[in-house]
Amino acid sequence: MATPGIINGTKLNVYVDNGSLEVIGFATSCSLSITHETRNTTNQTSTGWNTRMPGNRDWEVSCDGYITMIGNASNKLNAHEMYDQYIDNRQIFTLRFGNEVNGDIRYEGFAYMTSMEMNGSNEESATYSMSFIAAGPLYQYVNGGI
């Protein structure tokens, strides 16, 4: 059954296909951004008003979290494991943004990792940030659907 009411942000995760779908672990936040450019079609007969038509669509996913040396739960990737995949020349990642609740919506597509940042401040928890950009369309599915 789909999640009733407003979804708690804690329930949203970024998953990577690593032979099976695994959560990028220890995340504190994640985001999905979808954009649609337009192309200008203004001409001499548009009476001074801009006119537009659809252009390219794009999407990006980012996540932030805590750095761990060893994953403490199965099916969770830590930042170091993501770096290993990147440095081993893994060009395209299969990403899922959403959760695993039956009936809830999830988004999936192929993406390139565009950035990874790790930070360690004095007497603070070490953190990471990762960003991915589309390598094709973004698909919407219903969990548990056909």
Side-chain angles (χ1 to χ4, degrees):
M1 179 174 163
T3 302
I6 297 170
I7 295 176
N8 182 332
T10 304
K11 302 290 185 193
L12 296 178
N13 292 295
V14 178
Y15 299 77
V16 173
D17 188 343
N18 194 33
S20 63
L21 280 174
E22 298 181 35
V23 172
I24 299 176
F26 315 100
T28 56
S29 67
C30 60
S31 66
L32 168 66
S33 174
I34 303 167
T35 59
H36 192 159
E37 296 173 2
T38 59
R39 52 192 172 101
N40 194 322
T41 59
T42 307
N43 57 64
Q44 292 177 338
T45 61
S46 1
T47 64
W49 291 96
N50 282 329
T51 58
R52 291 181 173 75
M53 292 185 71
N56 293 328
R57 291 180 280 186
D58 205 2
W59 59 273
E60 297 180 32
V61 167
S62 63
C63 59
D64 304 301
Y66 295 116
I67 295 174
T68 63
M69 290 296 143
I70 302 171
N72 68 2
S74 62
N75 298 326
K76 288 189 179 160
L77 294 167
N78 67 26
H80 304 297
E81 292 166 322
M82 288 298 295
Y83 177 77
D84 286 345
Q85 290 186 24
Y86 171 75
I87 207 67
D88 286 343
N89 207 25
R90 182 165 182 186
Q91 296 284 317
I92 295 181
F93 291 84
T94 303
L95 292 184
R96 173 188 285 179
F97 182 88
N99 62 39
E100 297 178 34
V101 176
N102 281 340
D104 279 7
I105 302 293
R106 70 180 192 268
Y107 299 89
E108 292 185 20
F110 298 107
Y112 294 101
M113 181 187 285
T114 56
S115 70
M116 175 184 238
E117 183 177 327
M118 296 186 199
N119 294 299
S121 298
N122 188 43
E123 297 301 322
E124 296 290 334
S125 297
T127 60
Y128 69 81
S129 295
M130 290 181 211
S131 296
F132 302 86
I133 194 162
L138 183 66
Y139 299 100
Q140 180 178 281
Y141 299 99
V142 176
N143 289 333
I146 297 172

